[in-house]
Amino acid sequence: MMDLTNITKSYEMGNQVVHALRGVNMHVDEGEYVAIMGPSGSGKSTLMNIIGCLDVPTAGTYMLDGIDVSDMSDNDQARIRNQRIGFVFQQFNLLPRTSALKQVSLPLMYAGVPRSERNARAKESLTIVGLGDRTHHKPDELSGGQQQRVAVARALAVNPNIILADEPTGALDTKTGEELMEIFDQLHDDGITIVMITHDREVAERARRIVTLRDGLIVSDEQINHQKEVAS
Amino acid sequence: MNLTESFLTALDSLRANTLRSVLTMLGVIIGVGAVIGLVSIGNGVQQSVTADFEALGSNLLTIFTDRDNSGGYPSLTLGDVDALADPLNAPSISEVAASINRQQLVTWGNGEYNTSIVGVTANYLVVNNLTEFLAGDGLYQPDIDTAARVAVIGQEVATELFGEEFPVGQEIKIGDINYEVIGVLEEQGQAPGSNPDETVYIPITTAQQRLGVERTRRGEKAVDTITAVAASDEVIDAATEELTEVLRERHDIIFADEDDFRILSNASILDTIGNVLGLLTVFLGAIAGISLVVGGIGIMNIMLVSVTERTREIGIRKAIGALKRDILTQFLLESIVLSLVGGGIGIGLGYLISYLAEQFGDIPTFVSPQSIGLATGISITIGIVFGIFPAWRAASLRPIEALRYE
Ligand SMILES: Nc1ncnc2c1ncn2[C@@H]1O[C@H](COP(=O)(O)OP(=O)(O)OP(=O)(O)O)[C@@H](O)[C@H]1O
Ligand SMILES: [Mg+2]
C-alpha cells in the first residue's frame, strides 16, 4: 500500500544543506507492523512525516494505494490524514486546556461526523485505551501515559487503517510503555497497518519487521518471526 | 465542516482559553469605551454651549461704543434706541433695548453683596428671556418714565441678601439710595457674558440719575449697550445694515470715517464658538483615537503573543485533518466573537464614562452614533485583521512546520 522510491529530503540551513534522507526505497503492505530504528539524526522522523503526508520529499515518489501523493492537493492530503492515518507523537501534541473527549472527537468533527455520534465514538475510543473514566480530564490533569493514550484514542477515533507513531513510548516509563504496546498489538491483530519509530530494541521487537536507518539510508530490513520466539 | 461546527469550535476554543480571550477583549473594550466616552464629552460641551447661546436668541445684535473711533466718549444714547425702535428707520428690527452696567455694593439690613447693577429699558428683560419670576413682577414703562426706585433681583442676590426672608416689598440700598424690590427672577444659570442670577435690574433712567452717568461728546446721557432683536434669523444682515445706517446718520459720521460703535451678532459669536468647540471635539477625538490605537496594539500583541501556542494548535489540527479553510473560519469567527463582544461591552463602557462625567463631573455629554460606529468599526477591524493574520500565516505552513514551531 505504501511505496517509497528514491525518497530524498534535504534542508537548507543558511548556505549549508542537511541531507536528512538520501534515497530511501521502501514498501509496506497492508496490515504490516513495522518498527523503524536508527541513531539520532538518521532521518526516522523525517521519513515518517513524509509517509504521513505531514511533509513532502525533496525528490522521489511516494505512492499511497497507487496514487502519487505529490499529485494531491493540500486538501486531499488533509483528508487522507484525517480519514486514513492516525498519528501518535512522542510529545503527545494534545490541545492545551481541552478535555480528553473533545481531543478525541476533533478528527471526527473534521471528518464531518455529526455531533451526537461523535461523542459516542470518542468515548468508545477512550474506552479502548482504558480511559473511559477520564473523558473530562484536560491534558494537565493526566499523567504522561494517560496523555499518550488520549493521543492514541484520538488516532483511532476515525478508524484509520494506518497508525504512525514517532517514539510513542519515548516519554513513558517501562510499565506504561508496555501497556501502550499491548494496545498496538491489539491494533495489529485488528489488521491496522502500523509504522512505529523507536530507539528501544525490545519495543521494536514487538513489531513484525524492523527497518534500520543510518545517515538517511536504509541499512537493514529484517523480518521477525514471533511464532519462533514463542516456541523457543 | 459547516459554519455551525466552526462557530461552536471557535466558542470552545475561546472558553478553553479564557484568560487570552479576556485580555484580547480588554483591548477592544478600552479602545471603544474611551473613544465613545471622550467624544461624548466633546459633543456634549459643544451642544450645551450652543444651546445656551441659542436660548439667548441667535437674532440678537449687541451694540457697543467703539471708543477708539469716538474720541474716548461713549456714543450711544436713549435717543438712538428710540430711533432704532422706529420701524420706518429700521424695518428689520423688532425690539430695541438698552442697558447700563455698574458694579456696586447692595445692602439689606446687615447683609451686603457686591454685584452688578444693570439699568435697563422696560423691554430688556423680555428681550433677554428673563420672564420667569419666583415672586413679584418685572419692570414696566411707567417705572422707566418716572425713574422709579424699584429693583428686580436675581435668585442668587435674593438668597445672599434675604436668606429665608421674602424679598418682595423690602427696601434694599444701592449706594445711599433705597430701592423697593418688586420682583425676584427664577434661577437662570450662567449665561454667556452675564449671570442674571447675580444681577440687580433697575430702570435705566434711575441708573442714569443715581449711579452716575457718562456723557457723549455732545453732552447727552449715554447708555452702555443697545440690544436689538432682528425680526427673524433671515434678516440679521439687513438689520445690521439698518443699524449701521441709522446710527452713523445720528452720530453725524461722514462718509470716510469709521463707525463709533461696534455690532456683535449672537449668530457670529455662535459661529466662532462652534469652531472652537468643534476643535475641542476633534482634540478629544484625537486622544480617544490614541486610546483606540493603544487598544488596537493591545489586541495585536495578545494575538501575536499567543501565536506560538496557536501555531502548534494549528499544526495539530492540520495533522488530524483540518483543512486550511476550517482553520481560517475558526480563527475568523473567534476574532469576530471577541471583537463584537468586546465592542458591545466597550459601547457600554463609553455610555458609563459619559454617564459618570455628567453625574459627577457636571460635564454635559452626548453619545453620537458616529463615534459608536467609528470606534466599533475600527476595533473590530483591528481585532479581525490581527486575529486572522497569524492564523492565516500558520495555516499556510506545512503541518510539520506548524507542529515544530517554537
Ligand atoms: N526542519 C528542519 N530543518 C533543518 N534540519 C532538519 C529539520 N528537520 C530535521 N532536520 C535534520 O534532518 C536530520 C534528520 O532528522 P530527523 O528528525 O529525521 O532525525 P531522527 O532520526 O528522527 O532523530 P531522533 O531520533 O533524534 O528523533 C537531522 O540531521 C536534523 O538535524
Ligand atoms: Mg525523531
Side-chain angles (χ1 to χ4, degrees):
Chain A
M1 82 190 305
M2 297 174 199
D3 264 303
L4 295 96
T5 318
N6 252 322
I7 294 286
T8 65
K9 177 77 185 179
S10 37
Y11 296 101
E12 275 179 50
M13 304 279 286
N15 44 16
Q16 197 183 333
V17 180
V18 180
H19 298 282
L21 296 175
R22 298 164 184 271
V24 170
N25 294 290
M26 186 166 88
H27 175 86
V28 179
D29 270 328
E30 183 122 34
E32 272 197 277
Y33 186 176
V34 186
I36 297 179
M37 296 195 71
S40 186
S42 55
K44 305 182 295 292
S45 297
T46 308
L47 179 61
M48 169 151 301
N49 293 334
I50 289 171
I51 293 175
C53 300
L54 293 172
D55 207 352
V56 285
T58 308
T61 48
Y62 168 35
M63 311 279 277
L64 184 59
D65 289 332
I67 302 167
D68 192 336
V69 171
S70 63
D71 285 345
M72 294 184 197
S73 69
D74 281 358
N75 282 352
D76 288 339
Q77 290 186 29
R79 284 190 194 99
I80 286 189
R81 289 195 296 271
N82 181 227
Q83 272 147 41
R84 310 244 354 240
I85 304 174
F87 292 96
V88 181
F89 301 95
Q90 181 176 1
Q91 290 309 327
F92 317 148
N93 276 337
L94 297 175
L95 291 185
R97 298 178 285 280
T98 304
S99 75
L101 194 71
K102 285 237 164 76
Q103 311 262 10
V104 177
S105 53
L106 221 48
L108 293 167
M109 177 184 77
Y110 290 121
V113 177
R115 196 156 263 256
S116 47
E117 193 187 330
R118 235 150 55 200
N119 283 348
R121 282 176 64 176
K123 178 114 199 205
E124 208 175 295
S125 274
L126 282 167
T127 310
I128 292 174
V129 298
L131 286 176
D133 56 345
R134 293 283 194 281
T135 51
H136 293 292
H137 287 59
K138 293 168 183 164
D140 59 357
E141 298 160 354
L142 293 168
S143 72
Q146 288 169 330
Q147 289 184 56
Q148 192 60 301
R149 281 190 279 163
V150 173
V152 173
R154 182 179 67 187
L156 294 177
V158 281
N159 291 329
N161 46 17
I162 304 166
I163 292 282
L164 301 179
D166 193 345
E167 299 192 43
T169 57
L172 307 181
D173 61 44
T174 324
K175 186 173 159 290
T176 45
E178 171 61 27
E179 285 167 9
L180 190 67
M181 282 307 101
E182 274 161 22
I183 295 172
F184 275 39
D185 284 343
Q186 183 59 47
L187 296 176
H188 173 59
D189 289 344
D190 292 345
I192 293 173
T193 312
I194 302 174
V195 179
M196 169 183 72
I197 295 175
T198 180
H199 276 117
D200 188 336
R201 183 79 203 175
E202 216 172 299
V203 170
E205 281 174 352
R206 305 289 290 248
R208 301 299 185 273
R209 175 182 169 193
I210 299 178
V211 173
T212 311
L213 282 179
R214 179 161 294 133
D215 292 333
L217 285 170
I218 294 180
V219 290
S220 90
D221 190 342
E222 46 184 318
Q223 298 287 332
I224 293 171
N225 194 331
H226 283 258
Q227 255 72 41
K228 227 193 277 173
E229 273 174 38
V230 173
S232 65
Chain B
M1 204 165 86
N2 64 31
L3 206 61
T4 324
E5 291 286 7
S6 299
F7 187 67
L8 292 171
T9 309
L11 286 190
D12 268 352
S13 170
L14 291 177
R15 218 175 306 137
N17 301 285
T18 322
L19 182 65
R20 187 178 65 211
S21 310
V22 168
L23 285 176
T24 313
M25 239 158 43
L26 215 56
V28 183
I29 293 172
I30 291 172
V32 172
V35 172
I36 294 177
L38 289 178
V39 172
S40 83
I41 292 174
N43 280 332
V45 170
Q46 185 167 20
Q47 289 197 349
S48 115
V49 173
T50 310
D52 276 358
F53 267 88
E54 274 167 0
L56 278 185
S58 57
N59 49 354
L60 277 194
L61 296 162
T62 311
I63 304 119
F64 307 96
T65 298
D66 186 343
R67 293 195 187 234
D68 289 341
N69 299 321
S70 67
Y73 293 96
S75 63
L76 305 172
T77 65
L78 284 174
D80 292 338
V81 173
D82 291 338
L84 291 170
D86 185 344
L88 291 178
N89 291 333
S92 304
I93 292 172
S94 60
E95 282 280 355
V96 187
S99 59
I100 291 177
N101 209 320
R102 297 284 182 279
Q103 192 77 20
Q104 285 227 357
L105 197 64
V106 184
T107 55
W108 182 74
N110 294 327
E112 53 176 57
Y113 190 51
N114 192 17
T115 192
S116 57
I117 317 296
V118 180
V120 297
T121 52
N123 57 357
Y124 180 92
L125 293 179
V126 178
V127 163
N128 285 285
N129 261 334
L130 303 170
T131 50
E132 307 276 326
F133 295 88
L134 282 176
D137 207 347
L139 296 163
Y140 289 96
Q141 196 57 42
D143 301 321
I144 314 298
D145 294 342
T146 59
R149 290 182 312 208
V150 293
V152 170
I153 62 178
Q155 182 265 338
E156 183 70 23
V157 180
T159 350
E160 285 290 324
L161 287 180
F162 295 97
E164 300 291 295
E165 300 280 339
F166 188 67
V168 174
Q170 307 278 8
E171 298 260 314
I172 54 171
K173 245 188 214 305
I174 303 171
D176 295 333
I177 319 290
N178 281 331
Y179 293 79
E180 186 192 345
V181 177
I182 57 167
V184 180
L185 286 166
E186 272 201 6
E187 184 171 359
Q188 304 290 324
Q190 174 79 49
S194 72
N195 188 349
D197 294 336
E198 297 175 0
T199 305
V200 176
Y201 298 94
I202 61 175
I204 191 163
T205 43
T206 317
Q208 285 178 330
Q209 282 176 21
R210 308 288 176 181
L211 300 184
V213 67
E214 283 190 286
R215 299 214 174 241
T216 65
R217 190 200 297 271
R218 296 177 191 153
E220 292 166 294
K221 290 178 181 172
V223 301
D224 291 343
T225 317
I226 295 178
T227 311
V229 182
S232 74
D233 284 346
E234 287 73 45
V235 297
I236 291 175
D237 288 341
T240 309
E241 271 170 39
E242 290 163 15
L243 261 172
T244 311
E245 206 172 303
V246 170
L247 289 178
R248 280 180 73 94
E249 193 185 319
R250 285 184 50 85
H251 296 181
D252 292 330
I253 300 168
I254 58 161
F255 175 69
D257 283 356
E258 300 278 341
D259 298 344
D260 60 358
F261 53 89
R262 279 192 301 143
I263 303 171
L264 270 181
S265 86
N266 269 4
S268 70
I269 297 175
L270 212 58
D271 266 4
T272 315
I273 289 182
N275 287 342
V276 172
L277 291 177
L279 224 62
L280 173 76
T281 307
V282 169
F283 174 69
L284 286 178
I287 293 178
I290 291 170
S291 12
L292 202 57
V293 170
V294 171
I297 291 174
I299 303 172
M300 199 170 92
N301 265 355
I302 194 76
M303 292 289 192
L304 293 176
V305 162
S306 65
V307 81
T308 309
E309 186 182 291
R310 305 228 75 183
T311 302
R312 284 187 63 86
E313 176 191 333
I314 288 170
I316 295 170
R317 287 180 183 274
K318 287 192 79 163
I320 60 177
L323 308 181
K324 187 171 172 180
R325 145 163 51 93
D326 296 331
I327 305 278
L328 290 182
T329 318
Q330 178 199 331
F331 277 68
L332 181 66
L333 288 171
E334 279 186 36
S335 308
I336 291 176
V337 169
L338 281 183
S339 308
L340 283 183
V341 174
I345 299 177
I347 293 173
L349 179 70
Y351 271 103
L352 184 70
I353 291 175
S354 135
Y355 171 80
L356 291 178
E358 202 156 311
Q359 285 298 303
F360 300 106
D362 229 13
I363 302 167
T365 58
F366 170 73
V367 178
S368 74
Q370 289 99 312
S371 70
I372 293 182
L374 186 78
T376 345
I378 290 181
S379 301
I380 289 179
T381 310
I382 294 175
I384 290 173
V385 168
F386 289 102
I388 193 105
F389 172 67
W392 172 80
R393 220 173 38 182
S396 306
L397 296 173
R398 313 218 111 260
I400 195 66
E401 291 170 311
L403 277 173
R404 282 232 188 83
Y405 192 90
E406 309 276 322

